[in-house]
Amino acid sequence: MPGAIVTGWGIAVPDKVVTNEDLSLTLDTSDAWITERTGIKERHIGGTTSGLAIEAGEHALKRAGLTGSDIDLLVLATTTPDAIVPGTSATVQAGLGVAGGAFDVNAACSGFVYALVVAHGMALVGAQKILVVGSETLSRITDWDDRSVAILVGDGAGAVVLEATEGPGELLGWHLGADGELRDLLKCDHGGHLYMNGKEIFRHAVRAVIDSSLIALERAGLTPDDVDLFVPHQANARIITAAAQRLGIAEDRYVVTIDRYGNTSSASIPLALVDALETDRIKPGSIVLLSGFGGGMTWASAVLRWGG
Ligand code: UT7
């Protein structure tokens, strides 16, 4: 069946780096606690969601040998839009000169995988060249006096160009899930700050990643043993390790970038994916499993055969 394949990728992170030591100057916390409980060492802070998305998008377009005028659809995953109206995708569309339509997807930290699956579906109904971006500035909705959140978050963006192909596409299987009964576990009201019930999210997250990954793999006719690289949402190194262990995926088959970026919500999976591509951990034919979870709660997994 024809589908779509990734032909370009790029990231953007703000210049400013905030270390655990920096945070322990103003918060009752320590590098030792943050490292042991989360795996985070530092994070980038600053910029705007549209600005980071445009920069990541430019890199992805350049890598694909395209410009914005070649793109007939822009899908932007974000949970920290620049404004309520217009969609941040409109600003990014103008910044990149995207020729076609543009819309935002908010599925919190699962947003990039939601957006990627939607983009694959759009390729099946005629879209030719699609830019998929995950971009976040969680720092803007963070109470920097609240250690339960401030130590976790980071800002950044990652983008991929998806091009329709006559041959087989990359997407072999997917699974999207949501349970709004759990919506109070992670939330930010208009004008407020991010709140999360870390312990409860942790518990649901491990289960959600495992179950969702297994369903997506089953739909692809594969098992965890077939996965060459697991690219999970980067919320906590302990969540990643617990999920990978229970899936039977050894350390050399999964990506961890949380030490450098913290939790960047819908930017975390593209940041990790691009890191894996830049370090040659993904090759043509590699089976790549993306899986995320987040506020909503939502969860999402996609199984790709790299290059189709
Ligand atoms: O992207 C999706 C959204 N979010 C998540 O996925 C978050 C998932 N949850 C987590 O990552 C973890 O639950 C946290 C990192 C948020 C917290 O780790 P934890 O192991 O669940 O710690 P805890 O909340 O059980 O706290 C353990 C202790 C407590 O002290 P006592 O009661 O044992 O004396 C806390 O008061 O650590 C204390 N504590 C801290 N100490 C230093 C809590 N936060 C901090 C801190 N620094 N920042």
Side-chain angles (χ1 to χ4, degrees):
M1 189 165 70
I5 60 171
V6 169
T7 59
W9 52 85
I11 68 161
V13 288
D15 292 335
K16 184 178 174 189
V17 175
V18 175
T19 65
N20 292 347
E21 282 85 1
D22 294 333
L23 291 178
S24 51
L25 296 176
T26 53
L27 291 170
D28 180 17
T29 190
S30 65
D31 174 44
W33 193 94
I34 300 170
T35 304
E36 190 194 316
R37 298 293 182 122
T38 72
I40 300 168
K41 297 296 286 181
E42 59 187 37
R43 68 289 285 148
H44 293 254
I45 299 293
T48 62
T49 295
S50 59
L52 293 168
I54 290 169
E55 192 184 331
E58 279 169 350
H59 292 310
L61 287 168
K62 190 165 178 221
R63 174 120 207 167
L66 302 173
T67 66
S69 61
D70 298 311
I71 297 294
D72 52 6
L73 183 64
L74 165 67
V75 189
L76 175 75
T78 188
T79 192
T80 48
D82 287 357
I84 295 169
V85 179
T88 305
S89 52
T91 309
V92 178
Q93 177 275 325
L96 293 172
V98 165
F103 64 94
D104 290 17
V105 167
N106 180 352
C109 307
S110 315
F112 181 79
V113 181
Y114 264 79
L116 188 69
V117 170
V118 167
H120 274 278
M122 291 300 295
L124 286 181
V125 293
Q128 291 298 308
K129 293 181 173 59
I130 308 167
L131 185 63
V132 185
V133 188
S135 184
E136 301 283 4
T137 45
L138 285 179
S139 68
R140 287 185 308 109
I141 59 166
T142 296
D143 174 357
W144 288 96
D145 294 324
D146 176 1
R147 70 176 182 179
S148 72
V149 174
I151 59 144
L152 296 172
V153 301
D155 300 334
V160 298
V161 172
L162 203 60
E163 292 194 53
T165 166
E166 289 303 314
E170 264 167 6
L171 186 65
L172 303 181
W174 56 272
H175 176 250
L176 305 179
D179 182 358
E181 298 294 340
L182 301 174
R183 64 189 177 278
D184 288 336
L185 294 186
L186 197 164
K187 58 182 183 179
C188 177
D189 292 328
H190 285 299
H193 288 130
L194 196 58
Y195 158 84
M196 65 175 83
N197 180 337
K199 262 200 170 352
E200 275 303 296
I201 295 169
F202 195 115
R203 207 166 59 79
H204 288 288
V206 175
R207 189 74 265 153
V209 167
I210 294 169
D211 291 351
S212 174
S213 294
L214 289 174
I215 294 169
L217 283 165
E218 192 186 353
R219 289 177 177 176
L222 299 173
T223 73
D225 289 346
D226 298 309
V227 173
D228 294 304
L229 201 67
F230 174 37
V231 185
H233 169 47
Q234 309 280 314
N236 186 317
R238 286 154 56 216
I239 295 178
I240 297 172
T241 310
Q245 270 173 359
R246 290 199 221 162
L247 287 167
I249 296 177
E251 209 173 333
D252 60 343
R253 290 195 289 138
Y254 63 84
V255 184
V256 177
T257 54
I258 192 171
D259 52 327
R260 284 172 281 152
Y261 298 132
N263 182 346
T264 57
S265 192
S266 63
S268 98
I269 287 181
L271 282 171
L273 178 67
V274 171
D275 188 81
L277 287 161
E278 298 289 335
T279 52
D280 288 329
R281 294 183 75 187
I282 297 175
K283 300 184 174 58
S286 292
I287 299 294
V288 180
L289 168 65
L290 313 179
S291 187
F293 63 91
M297 282 186 74
T298 58
W299 46 89
S301 301
V303 180
L304 311 172
R305 177 180 285 118
W306 202 255

